[in-house]
Amino acid sequence: MDAHEKGFFTEENSVEVVTGRNKNAKDERLKQIMEVVTRKLHEAVKEIEPTQEEWFQAVMFLTRTGQMCNEWRQEFILLSDTLGVSMLVDAINNRKPSGASESTVLGPFHVKGAPELPMGANICLDQKGEDMVIGGRILDTTGQPIKDAVLDVWQANDEGFYDVQQQGIQPDFNLRGVFRTGADGRYWFRAVKPKYYPIPNDGPVGQMLDHLGRHPNRPAHLHYIIKADGFETLITHIFDPDDPYINSDAVFGVKESLLAKFRHTRDPDRARTYEFDGDFWEVEHDFVLARVGEKRG
Ligand code: BEZ
Ligand code: FE
């Protein structure tokens, strides 16, 4: 028996026997990861003591999760999202200096190649929904405006669907746009008030949520990716704090600092300048970017 072989498998020494087999792993990081995964997995199995039938159900659940995946549907990411793992990986990889805006999940509905638009453009291409104007500044952590910051924004419509979920119903690139700041660091654009929506829930992850008595909804939000030379890219959202699901986001993406103020505004003069028909919603939200290498606080 080689030194690394720990003898025959028993319930008691299961972790040592399995991890011992990886002694000659070609990749140290993989070896370390599999040591932790094996330890935690065996610990879970020992605590749960599943029946053979339950174990088979788990295997079939993962099988269906894989079978649900295709070019545009990633059921494993939805599983990671709904178990809070995506937000945990995001938190670990985006520890920010104090004052910098916080990140949250990217989600599956970002589309590369959205049109670059002039500041103030209306990204709602089908005139459906309640008008909204959104603006703010892109700043560094000392409060200085950032010029040439590029904002890539996207959102669901007021029925809770992204354009890519309603091809042929919504115009392509509806409620998407790319904006570049000037020297004042200011951005603004027009859109419609987003609404809460369910994450794709017609697969095994939706069934899991249902069995667990959980709803699949995400509170109303707008997505942002903000890039600027010399700064860490920020992937984030702003949320409507009055949304009915604000305290129970299906993917745990809400953070206190990402709650924006959505103000209902009646001002016919301003409405006219925005080419809105009547009342509108107004959101003002600044984002603060961390410099590459800036110390975390
Ligand atoms: C989204 O916000 O677009 C999203 C995030 C995670 C899962 C599904 C959708
Ligand atoms: Fe979203």
Side-chain angles (χ1 to χ4, degrees), residues 167-182:
Q167 283 171 4
I169 299 174
Q170 292 188 43
D172 289 349
F173 295 116
N174 193 31
L175 295 167
R176 296 176 189 276
V178 174
F179 299 91
R180 185 181 290 269
T181 58

Side-chain angles (χ1 to χ4, degrees), residues 109 154 162 197 218 221 223 237:
F109 298 119
W154 69 105
Y162 289 88
Y197 63 83
R218 298 215 64 207
H221 57 272
H223 290 260
H237 305 357

Side-chain angles (χ1 to χ4, degrees), residues 72-268:
W72 50 270
R73 176 74 176 257
Q74 231 306 351
E75 194 74 359
F76 275 112
I77 294 188
L78 287 181
L79 182 58
S80 154
D81 294 342
T82 51
L83 296 181
V85 176
S86 301
M87 279 303 289
L88 198 50
V89 173
D90 183 72
I92 289 165
N93 286 280
N94 288 287
R95 295 178 185 128
K96 304 273 186 196
S98 85
S101 295
E102 293 187 284
S103 59
T104 189
V105 280
L106 174 65
F109 298 119
H110 177 249
V111 172
K112 288 199 176 102
E116 184 159 343
L117 301 170
M119 220 45 104
N122 196 336
I123 60 172
C124 177
L125 306 180
D126 62 4
Q127 289 83 47
K128 289 186 186 156
E130 296 178 72
D131 291 319
M132 182 167 77
V133 58
I134 308 148
R137 290 168 306 159
I138 312 299
L139 304 169
D140 68 16
T141 53
T142 69
Q144 291 305 304
I146 301 176
K147 180 173 179 282
D148 281 328
V150 176
L151 291 77
D152 190 342
V153 302
W154 69 105
Q155 65 163 90
N157 68 6
D158 82 329
E159 291 172 353
F161 293 105
Y162 289 88
D163 57 350
V164 289
Q165 295 175 290
Q166 290 193 314
Q167 283 171 4
I169 299 174
Q170 292 188 43
D172 289 349
F173 295 116
N174 193 31
L175 295 167
R176 296 176 189 276
V178 174
F179 299 91
R180 185 181 290 269
T181 58
D184 59 0
R186 194 162 169 79
Y187 75 92
W188 77 280
F189 56 95
R190 290 167 294 156
V192 288
K193 191 167 190 271
K195 198 177 171 197
Y196 64 81
Y197 63 83
I199 62 168
N201 65 341
D202 56 345
V205 171
Q207 282 168 2
M208 176 189 81
L209 295 179
D210 187 48
H211 285 302
L212 291 173
R214 282 172 58 177
H215 69 73
N217 296 312
R218 298 215 64 207
H221 57 272
L222 281 92
H223 290 260
Y224 290 77
I225 298 177
I226 307 176
K227 295 184 179 182
D229 282 349
F231 292 87
E232 299 283 357
T233 295
L234 175 65
I235 299 176
T236 196
H237 305 357
I238 55 173
F239 290 92
D240 176 1
D242 297 322
D243 187 279
Y245 297 104
I246 198 66
N247 292 319
S248 60
D249 183 359
V251 305
F252 308 98
V254 181
K255 294 177 179 177
E256 182 92 35
S257 67
L258 306 181
L259 303 179
K261 277 213 171 62
F262 285 63
R263 267 183 298 145
H264 190 253
T265 306
R266 178 163 298 163
D267 182 337

